[in-house]
Amino acid sequence: MNLLNSDRFWQFACTLFAKPGQQQTLLALQNQQGKNVNLCLLLLYLDSLKLSITAEQLSTLIESIDEFDTQALNPLRSARSYLKANQETIADYTKIREELLSAELKLEKQQQQILIDTANKFELLEVVKPNNIELYVKAT
């Protein structure tokens, strides 16, 4: 069993997300194809470690975060989007936005922990050139 470290994953994700163009690419996958950014980041992290997952393991990862997305992250994103669209009418919009972004970041980190906990139950295969992200992007 390959034990993955959530702190190292978080650092990898932050570093990757900060690279030019990465944020836009990942958000486009989220907004246009309904893909989960944290799952994309995990798959890229596994690629960097030369670890590969199966289609069945991918399905398990998706299922592990589905309820969290539905019940926690998506409603927060919707609220933030609504407030942004109506910011002229909202007192203290800037402060509210900052607090919502802070809460969203904490939820993102929690979702990454769920993904790491789930992945740590898998037997991951070591391969020379894994392409986990392609498996996910091509999945319906």
Side-chain angles (χ1 to χ4, degrees), residues 70-87:
T70 302
Q71 299 298 323
L73 274 169
N74 290 340
L76 183 60
R77 286 186 191 121
S78 292
R80 195 168 48 82
S81 177
Y82 171 82
L83 294 172
K84 182 177 181 180
N86 296 283
Q87 62 185 292

Side-chain angles (χ1 to χ4, degrees), residues 27-137:
L27 291 176
L29 284 171
Q30 173 183 280
N31 298 332
Q32 295 165 13
Q33 296 184 29
K35 302 300 182 186
N36 181 285
V37 170
N38 281 318
L39 182 51
C40 289
L41 289 166
L42 176 67
L43 298 173
L44 291 166
Y45 180 60
L46 293 174
D47 284 352
S48 77
L49 298 173
K50 300 196 181 318
L51 296 171
S52 183
I53 64 167
T54 65
E56 184 180 317
Q57 290 169 332
L58 176 61
S59 292
T60 301
L61 286 168
I62 293 168
E63 289 170 17
S64 76
I65 56 172
D66 185 55
E67 184 176 11
F68 193 82
D69 259 349
T70 302
Q71 299 298 323
L73 274 169
N74 290 340
L76 183 60
R77 286 186 191 121
S78 292
R80 195 168 48 82
S81 177
Y82 171 82
L83 294 172
K84 182 177 181 180
N86 296 283
Q87 62 185 292
E88 302 83 25
T89 63
I90 298 170
D92 293 329
Y93 168 75
T94 303
K95 180 142 179 70
I96 293 167
R97 180 180 181 274
E98 286 174 18
E99 290 175 6
L100 286 176
L101 284 171
S102 176
E104 187 175 348
L105 196 60
K106 289 173 183 160
L107 291 175
E108 297 282 359
K109 194 169 187 176
Q110 177 59 42
Q111 187 173 64
Q112 286 189 0
Q113 183 66 56
I114 294 167
L115 287 166
I116 288 292
D117 290 346
T118 302
N120 276 333
K121 296 174 185 170
F122 299 157
E123 187 62 41
L124 300 171
L125 301 173
E126 290 187 39
V127 296
V128 176
K129 288 190 172 187
N131 202 352
N132 297 304
I133 191 71
E134 186 177 321
L135 180 68
Y136 182 42
V137 171

